[in-house]
Amino acid sequence: KQTQLTAGSSSDGTEDSDFSADVEHAEAAEIVHRRSSTRLTRASLRLSRSSQDIKQGADRDETPPRTPTGNAPSSESDIEVSSPSNDLEDERLAKELSLKEAAAHDLSHRPKRRRFHESYNFNMKCPTPGCNSLGHLTGRHERHFSISGCPLYHNLSADECKVHASTRDKQAEERTLSHRQDENRHSTRNQAPTERQLRYKEKVTELRRKRNTGLNKEQKEKYMDHRQSHGTSREPLLENITSDYDLELFRKAQARASDDLEKLRLAGQVSEGSNMIKTIVFGRYELDTWYHSPYPEEYARLGRLYMCEFCLKYMKSQTILRRHMAKCVWKHPPGDEIYRKGNISVFEVDGKKNKIYCQNLCLLAKLFLDHKTLYYDVEPFLFYVMTEADNTGCHLVGYFSKEKNSFLNYNVSCILTMPQYMRQGYGKMLIDFSYLLSKVEEKVGSPERPLSDLGLISYRSYWKEVLLRYLNNFQGKEISIKEISQETAVNPVDIVSTLQSLQMLKYWKGKHLVLKRQDLIDDWKAKETKRGNSKTIDPTALKWTPPKGT
């Protein structure tokens, strides 16, 4: 029995084709079931094999010889390719193959297929309980991963969202058409409204007048049941709260905002459910974050936060930030200014008196610190905020916090230099200022452990500098670790570890000796001369008395 070899293009213009054959043999049918289809390109290439190989394969097996797709032979030309007519058939097939390949490279005529794997991460899920992540509030996307695009959260179905989207598109077309009709009118400053605009205004007034003044008993019970059943996992029922016209405007604004967020997510500017803030807009800087910070979920899932650099309030958009900056009266941190020299100031902020500011400061610091665990319990701490002043205000450079009553004499609980001010000497200034406060308190201080990687590097560099300066000025023959500690306010343990790292501490004849390595001192003096005294703390500029226990 002979069958026909048919090759046709699919309905969307692609080169996909299937070989169809009626196979009587049971084994051939089983193979057809397992390998349903193969592209024409593979079939045509394998048809060019020599007739001798195909005949040998046919002799070895009693079953009908297979075509490259695993089917039974589709025509006599598939086997008896040695005849002259079959040679012509091969030439025709090869010519068709070359044409197919040329058409395959030119994909301009093909309709653009949507590739979900490029724009969607199917491992992500919508955080709304019971949602399967299908549909989108805008009606224009197949999936969603956030509450802002969840139809179920907004008490809608995916089909309803699509219907609303088509309705909005029709209204937009009508509005565009009406605007075109009005373009012929002369544009003047005091232009009278058209008849269409007056009719629309009357219509809106009438719609708002029809608003129900209150909810009946059944509606109130329905609203209460919805709130008790879903809590904050669903949007409250909004019907009859305002007029239908205003509710429709609100729904349009929701859909538009959700569409904008989806575009940002597809562009990679919004994280997909990871609750990881990638960037923050802080003053005139846009900073990439390093670690996760426990901001509220509605802010964390945006991927980018906008912050006021003076009051540290965080916002969702550039528009909200611009409006806030027009009203914000803060130009420096709250609290008392205890140090000022040049344009550098330090403010002492009490976590009990300025709780919101200190919490925002801790959340900001966690974006750049790995080991920080303090976020909201800020009342037992004092925060010392360093700023750099210009004609617009005092800009945050860094800060450190310390406990009001530390039993282990920790003079620093957490310390941070903002990324835009790193590697400029401000970190050592903050550390030096913390030890200056310890000297005024007549205590020996040490930072709280564990230190971050950058914090450990900064502290070791500072301790090295302090010890080399002390040894350079020391003229006696015998030196004591205790005397160094009392003079510099550095903990003896930190002094010993620094001396060991510098290989300046030796054990000889039952005694520990401190070696005065002149080569290290000379290197330090050369660096000091090159660096200058621009980034140093002046003890005379400090106006501060130790706070009493609270």
Side-chain angles (χ1 to χ4, degrees):
K1 184 179 179 179
Q2 294 183 357
T3 58
Q4 274 190 325
L5 174 65
T6 59
S9 61
S10 58
S11 59
D12 60 351
T14 60
E15 71 275 15
D16 295 342
S17 302
D18 294 332
F19 283 107
S20 301
D22 296 327
V23 184
E24 296 179 354
H25 197 277
E27 183 180 355
E30 182 180 354
I31 297 177
V32 168
H33 178 71
R34 188 168 61 250
R35 300 174 62 188
S36 60
S37 62
T38 306
R39 292 186 180 276
L40 179 63
T41 53
R42 287 182 57 193
S44 301
L45 288 174
R46 292 190 180 184
L47 280 173
S48 61
R49 291 182 177 178
S50 65
S51 60
Q52 185 66 29
D53 294 338
I54 297 177
K55 288 182 178 181
Q56 289 178 359
D59 294 338
R60 285 194 300 266
D61 194 353
E62 296 179 359
T63 60
R66 305 310 193 267
T67 61
T69 59
N71 299 335
S74 56
S75 67
E76 290 182 349
S77 61
D78 291 336
I79 301 176
E80 299 175 2
V81 295
S82 58
S83 62
S85 60
N86 292 334
D87 292 338
L88 296 175
E89 182 71 16
D90 283 347
E91 292 179 3
R92 185 181 65 82
L93 288 175
K95 189 174 182 180
E96 289 182 359
L97 173 60
S98 62
L99 293 175
K100 289 285 185 180
E101 290 179 348
H105 290 292
D106 182 16
L107 303 180
S108 59
H109 66 285
R110 297 178 57 179
K112 186 175 182 181
R113 293 184 177 181
R114 184 161 187 170
R115 303 175 65 185
F116 291 104
H117 65 277
E118 290 184 353
S119 57
Y120 293 107
N121 182 356
F122 288 96
N123 294 325
M124 305 305 303
K125 293 183 180 179
C126 175
T128 303
C131 182
N132 57 5
S133 300
L134 295 178
H136 199 277
L137 181 64
T138 60
R140 305 177 188 279
H141 306 283
E142 298 297 331
R143 295 178 68 87
H144 67 275
F145 304 105
S146 62
I147 293 177
S148 62
C150 179
L152 185 62
Y153 175 81
H154 296 88
N155 302 308
L156 297 170
S157 65
D159 294 334
E160 289 175 335
C161 292
K162 292 180 180 179
V163 172
H164 292 169
S166 61
T167 304
R168 288 193 297 269
D169 292 340
K170 291 180 181 179
Q171 293 175 351
E173 291 177 0
E174 294 175 357
R175 192 161 51 248
T176 303
L177 181 61
S178 62
H179 288 328
R180 289 177 181 174
Q181 294 175 356
D182 294 339
E183 285 179 355
N184 297 328
R185 303 175 66 231
H186 297 288
S187 58
T188 58
R189 182 178 295 274
N190 298 318
Q191 184 172 286
T194 63
E195 293 182 3
R196 181 188 58 80
Q197 291 172 339
L198 291 174
R199 289 196 303 270
Y200 185 76
K201 182 179 180 181
E202 293 175 358
K203 179 182 176 181
V204 171
T205 305
E206 183 65 23
L207 288 172
R208 286 176 171 167
R209 191 181 294 117
K210 291 181 180 179
R211 173 195 168 189
N212 295 330
T213 55
L215 302 176
N216 56 37
K217 185 177 180 180
E218 293 181 357
Q219 290 174 338
K220 289 182 179 179
E221 290 179 355
K222 181 181 178 180
Y223 282 35
M224 292 301 296
D225 292 342
H226 183 273
R227 181 179 297 179
Q228 292 176 0
S229 301
H230 304 290
T232 59
S233 63
R234 297 279 184 89
E235 182 184 67
L237 298 177
L238 303 178
E239 287 73 13
N240 298 318
I241 292 179
T242 184
S243 65
D244 293 340
Y245 174 78
D246 291 317
L247 181 59
E248 183 63 23
L249 284 181
F250 177 70
R251 293 296 191 193
K252 289 180 181 178
Q254 279 185 320
R256 185 173 180 179
S258 180
D259 194 31
D260 291 342
L261 286 174
E262 185 68 14
K263 291 177 181 177
L264 291 175
R265 188 191 66 79
L266 293 175
Q269 299 181 15
V270 177
S271 57
E272 297 179 352
S274 62
N275 287 348
M276 172 69 180
I277 299 172
K278 295 182 178 180
T279 59
I280 61 171
V281 176
F282 193 81
R284 61 179 184 272
Y285 300 99
E286 181 174 335
L287 307 175
D288 293 332
T289 62
W290 301 348
Y291 303 102
H292 172 266
S293 183
Y295 280 94
E297 182 182 356
E298 57 181 316
Y299 292 89
R301 68 169 179 262
L302 296 177
R304 174 183 292 181
L305 280 188
Y306 299 83
M307 295 189 185
C308 174
E309 61 176 330
F310 299 117
C311 69
L312 303 185
K313 177 180 174 62
Y314 46 89
M315 288 148 277
K316 295 182 179 180
S317 68
Q318 184 73 45
T319 303
I320 301 176
L321 176 62
R322 186 171 60 253
R323 292 175 179 173
H324 169 82
M325 295 301 294
K327 298 181 291 183
C328 185
V329 297
W330 290 30
K331 296 301 177 184
H332 60 78
D336 302 324
E337 185 179 11
I338 61 175
Y339 177 90
R340 182 192 293 180
K341 184 178 182 182
N343 62 345
I344 300 296
S345 299
V346 178
F347 293 82
E348 182 182 59
V349 185
D350 192 336
K352 187 176 182 180
K353 296 179 181 178
N354 302 278
K355 188 174 181 179
I356 300 299
Y357 177 87
C358 295
Q359 287 177 347
N360 290 341
L361 183 60
C362 291
L363 288 173
L364 173 62
K366 182 61 182 73
L367 293 171
F368 307 102
L369 296 175
D370 188 17
H371 299 289
K372 184 172 177 57
T373 57
L374 170 68
Y375 313 119
Y376 300 108
D377 186 20
V378 296
E379 296 183 6
F381 294 87
L382 292 171
F383 294 80
Y384 296 89
V385 184
M386 179 176 289
T387 62
E388 186 179 57
D390 59 14
N391 56 357
T392 61
C394 298
H395 306 281
L396 177 65
V397 172
Y399 87 100
F400 69 88
S401 61
K402 62 183 293 187
E403 288 185 90
K404 296 176 182 177
N405 298 298
S406 177
F407 296 101
L408 298 176
N409 287 333
Y410 288 138
N411 62 356
V412 167
S413 294
C414 178
I415 186 169
L416 169 75
T417 304
M418 292 297 290
Q420 67 268 31
Y421 292 102
M422 287 183 177
R423 302 185 64 84
Q424 300 179 35
Y426 291 106
K428 286 186 179 180
M429 289 181 68
L430 285 169
I431 297 173
D432 196 17
F433 191 81
S434 68
Y435 280 105
L436 176 60
L437 298 183
S438 297
K439 292 177 184 178
V440 176
E441 292 178 310
E442 298 180 352
K443 294 181 179 179
V444 173
S446 180
E448 186 176 332
R449 268 66 170 183
L451 290 170
S452 64
D453 296 336
L454 294 177
L456 182 59
I457 293 173
S458 299
Y459 266 96
R460 282 180 175 172
S461 177
Y462 174 79
W463 291 331
K464 173 184 175 181
E465 184 178 316
V466 167
L467 289 177
L468 293 177
R469 181 184 294 110
Y470 183 86
L471 293 175
N472 181 58
N473 299 329
F474 185 74
Q475 301 297 330
K477 294 183 178 181
E478 294 184 359
I479 194 171
S480 170
I481 300 295
K482 184 177 180 180
E483 292 177 359
I484 299 176
S485 177
Q486 292 175 349
E487 182 74 18
T488 61
V490 179
N491 192 288
V493 176
D494 298 330
I495 294 174
V496 172
S497 64
T498 305
L499 290 174
Q500 289 176 339
S501 65
L502 296 175
Q503 297 182 355
M504 297 176 67
L505 191 64
K506 299 293 182 180
Y507 186 77
W508 186 67
K509 291 186 178 181
K511 294 182 180 181
H512 287 91
L513 303 178
V514 177
L515 303 180
K516 187 176 180 180
R517 293 183 55 181
Q518 194 61 40
D519 56 338
L520 293 179
I521 296 176
D522 293 340
D523 291 342
W524 165 77
K525 290 171 66 176
K527 291 180 180 179
E528 280 288 298
T529 304
K530 184 178 180 181
R531 184 163 48 228
N533 297 324
S534 58
K535 296 291 192 301
T536 56
I537 293 294
D538 185 4
T540 60
L542 177 66
K543 308 297 180 184
W544 179 75
T545 55
K548 297 180 180 179
T550 56

